[in-house]
Amino acid sequence: MTLSMVESSNSAENIRKFIFGRDSHEYGGEELPDVEILIPELRQAAYSSYTWPCAPILSLFLWQRRESLVNKRILELGAGTSLPGILAAKCGAQVTLSDHATLPKTLSHINRCCLLNNLTPGEDIAVTGISWGLLLNSLFNLGPIDLIIGSDCFYDPTVFEEILVTVSFLLEHNPGAKFLFTYQERSSDWSIEALLKKWRLRCANVSLSGINAGLDISLRRLMGGHTIHLLEITLTPQN
């Protein structure tokens, strides 16, 4: 397995190419094409128009488990440039990409990311606006979900509870689903422990050990020098 990242640029944007390589011996020697994903990043972009280090980490974790993604119904929260969600769609999942409903430029950029990767919104992949913390029609219209994913959603403490309210609602309406997300440490003072208890959620660390197996790159370098965790949130069982 290989992961390569290539960049090209013009005056308006950078285009990053992520190449997820397949090992032929995994398929009885059959040569299968690599999965290439192009991500446009706007210059002087807002938070949602840049691929932060959490996204490749989550994507690589999903890639290592790509066979389990086939036909899974996956929702990406705070999708931004949508690398994990687009990869999941390329691996055979039924994916909905979402970001905040009040950010039309972000939703437009998500559509551009899809089209650049030969995924037609509304046909091959869904794109929708979700207002975190508000139980609006967009949540009720999502349909069944097997897995919620997110990369670096918890970047601002003012939105922590809004995200968890949304996650709690979705998990309650999709028994057996879980929220898998990567989190970049920015402050030791930030915590979601009290909010998890308030919204009947529990959180567990998922090991990233071996995520760089087969790659000629250290885990620290893969994280861009940051501390990144992979976490899983599920509903707390009722007594």
Side-chain angles (χ1 to χ4, degrees):
M1 177 175 61
T2 60
L3 169 62
S4 302
M5 292 175 277
V6 182
E7 292 192 24
S8 63
S9 63
N10 56 37
S11 60
E13 64 181 20
N14 289 330
I15 301 290
R16 299 181 72 184
K17 179 189 290 186
F18 295 83
I19 304 171
F20 297 84
R22 307 178 197 260
D23 294 329
S24 61
H25 73 268
E26 296 179 10
Y27 301 90
E30 180 184 358
E31 292 290 340
L32 293 175
D34 296 339
V35 172
E36 296 186 359
I37 298 177
L38 299 176
I39 299 296
E41 297 180 340
L42 303 179
R43 290 192 180 278
Q44 300 188 6
Y47 188 93
S48 58
S49 297
Y50 178 78
T51 307
W52 298 87
C54 277
I57 295 296
L58 178 58
S59 299
L60 191 54
F61 184 85
L62 294 173
W63 177 250
Q64 290 177 329
R65 293 152 182 80
R66 55 193 175 277
E67 293 183 359
S68 69
L69 301 181
V70 178
N71 294 324
K72 284 290 191 302
R73 297 161 298 189
I74 296 177
L75 168 68
E76 182 172 5
L77 292 178
T81 57
S82 309
L83 176 62
I86 288 175
L87 176 65
K90 293 283 188 179
C91 291
Q94 301 173 35
V95 176
T96 297
L97 304 173
S98 73
D99 216 302
H100 209 285
T102 60
L103 300 174
K105 290 184 178 179
T106 295
L107 296 173
S108 177
H109 192 67
I110 291 175
N111 278 283
R112 169 158 161 66
C113 292
C114 294
L115 292 171
L116 199 59
N117 289 284
N118 300 313
L119 296 171
T120 303
E123 296 180 12
D124 307 308
I125 197 166
V127 178
T128 190
I130 292 178
S131 296
W132 295 343
L134 300 179
L135 305 184
L136 303 179
N137 287 340
S138 55
L139 282 181
F140 290 92
N141 294 336
L142 286 172
I145 297 170
D146 299 308
L147 176 66
I148 307 165
I149 60 174
S151 63
D152 214 2
C153 290
F154 293 94
Y155 60 89
D156 180 353
T158 63
V159 301
F160 285 4
E161 184 161 21
E162 295 173 0
I163 294 171
L164 292 177
V165 167
T166 302
V167 169
S168 177
F169 173 85
L170 292 171
L171 293 181
E172 285 181 354
H173 287 77
N174 293 276
K178 59 186 179 182
F179 178 34
L180 185 71
F181 65 101
T182 41
Y183 167 72
Q184 177 180 322
E185 283 190 19
R186 291 184 171 87
S187 172
S188 59
D189 296 329
W190 294 0
S191 174
I192 61 172
E193 184 176 355
L195 294 174
L196 290 170
K197 184 176 181 180
K198 178 179 179 179
W199 294 103
R200 250 185 3 97
L201 299 168
R202 59 181 179 178
C203 185
N205 280 289
V206 179
S207 175
L208 287 171
S209 176
I211 194 174
N212 59 325
L215 302 181
D216 187 22
I217 185 173
S218 69
L219 186 58
R220 186 68 177 168
R221 185 180 170 195
L222 193 61
M223 293 180 177
H226 302 284
T227 299
I228 293 175
H229 303 282
L230 180 64
L231 302 166
E232 178 184 290
I233 288 179
T234 54
L235 280 178
T236 301
Q238 292 182 330
N239 295 329

